[in-house]
Amino acid sequence: MSDLDGEFLRAIRESYDAIAEAYAAEFPVAGRPPLDRAVLSAFAESVRARGGTEPVADVGCGPGQVTALLDSLGVPVFGVDVSPRMVALAGRAHPGLRFHVGSMTRLGLPDRSLGGVLALYSLIHVPDSHLPPVFGEFRRVLADGGQLLLAFQTGHGEREHRTERFGREISLDYHWRDPEAVAGLLVDAGFEIRARMVLEPDDGAKRPRAYLFARTPDARR
């Protein structure tokens, strides 16, 4: 059984296929709060400052709005998502960029081939037991000094199951995690933590949102 046929990945794929159009309309990049856009700009600047020509993978890219934003900020970037419907929407909306169907558990990329990995709110559906191998996969594909940015809603280890969103039937688990616990898993995977930031809820959000900046050790320094 391939990763894309795994139980939790299959649930993610089928659920996001069902809500792809409504999701794309609900979360445009232009509607992101200023602090979120500033964080993305800082990530892009960190990638550029590192030098090198390796691209960035936007993992869990959805309909591609953030992928396109990073491209506009001068970052060579491509999108990966487990939902074929999301990838199709991304390709139509941003025909000049590259998107493909794939899983963060097995990216199918050569070792040390990326200058950065971005995972915005895509880890919230990953079970706790799968986080260490996912972070190990991120570590594997990042070159020396490669940049990593994670974003997720925070909590204390709660798991919430939802069966409906945007009026469509889904089956998704949501995992709300402590940023310090996630940072510890990144360190265990070989990352250096650069910054932690928690944004308080706004615009109807129920939970604080955490950003974690990390990087791989840089043997070039």
Side-chain angles (χ1 to χ4, degrees):
M1 180 179 290
S2 72
D3 276 322
L4 286 177
D5 293 324
E7 182 178 351
F8 85 93
L9 289 172
R10 183 168 58 249
I12 296 170
R13 180 180 69 240
E14 292 175 353
S15 295
Y16 276 97
D17 276 351
I19 64 173
E21 287 82 359
Y23 183 97
E26 182 74 11
F27 298 107
V29 167
R32 289 184 179 270
L35 281 175
D36 291 283
R37 295 176 65 87
V39 169
L40 292 169
S41 295
F43 173 73
E45 186 173 348
S46 295
V47 171
R48 295 195 306 268
R50 172 188 169 272
T53 59
E54 302 93 344
V56 167
D58 180 7
V59 180
C61 66
Q65 301 106 319
V66 172
T67 318
L69 175 60
L70 289 176
D71 175 70
S72 74
L73 294 171
V75 173
V77 62
F78 64 93
V80 182
D81 201 278
V82 75
S83 162
R85 185 61 183 158
M86 286 288 196
V87 168
L89 288 177
R92 286 203 296 270
H94 311 288
L97 298 178
R98 178 163 58 98
F99 300 93
H100 69 264
V101 177
S103 163
M104 66 177 67
T105 62
R106 188 179 300 162
L107 289 169
L109 300 169
D111 293 357
R112 300 186 177 186
S113 59
L114 298 181
V117 168
L118 175 76
L120 292 191
Y121 306 105
S122 50
L123 291 170
I124 60 174
H125 302 304
V126 177
D128 291 342
S129 60
H130 286 70
L131 281 186
V134 164
F135 292 161
E137 180 71 348
F138 291 171
R139 177 70 178 84
R140 181 187 69 79
V141 298
L142 280 168
D144 287 354
Q147 305 292 312
L148 175 67
L149 175 61
L150 307 181
F152 51 94
Q153 294 92 340
T154 68
H156 302 285
E158 306 95 323
R159 181 175 67 88
E160 179 182 344
H161 184 74
R162 297 181 185 175
T163 58
E164 183 273 335
R165 197 173 183 195
F166 301 114
R168 303 297 298 272
E169 182 179 344
I170 63 170
S171 179
L172 282 176
D173 287 333
Y174 291 74
H175 300 269
W176 314 125
R177 298 185 169 104
D178 181 347
E180 293 304 314
V182 177
L185 292 176
L186 288 175
V187 171
D188 290 344
F191 285 95
E192 300 172 350
I193 303 299
R194 300 188 64 200
R196 303 167 173 86
M197 183 170 65
V198 176
L199 304 181
E200 294 303 318
D202 59 7
D203 296 330
K206 296 179 180 179
R207 292 179 175 273
R209 293 166 292 129
Y211 279 104
L212 292 178
F213 283 86
R215 68 182 173 197
T216 58
D218 194 347
R220 304 171 304 170
R221 292 180 295 174

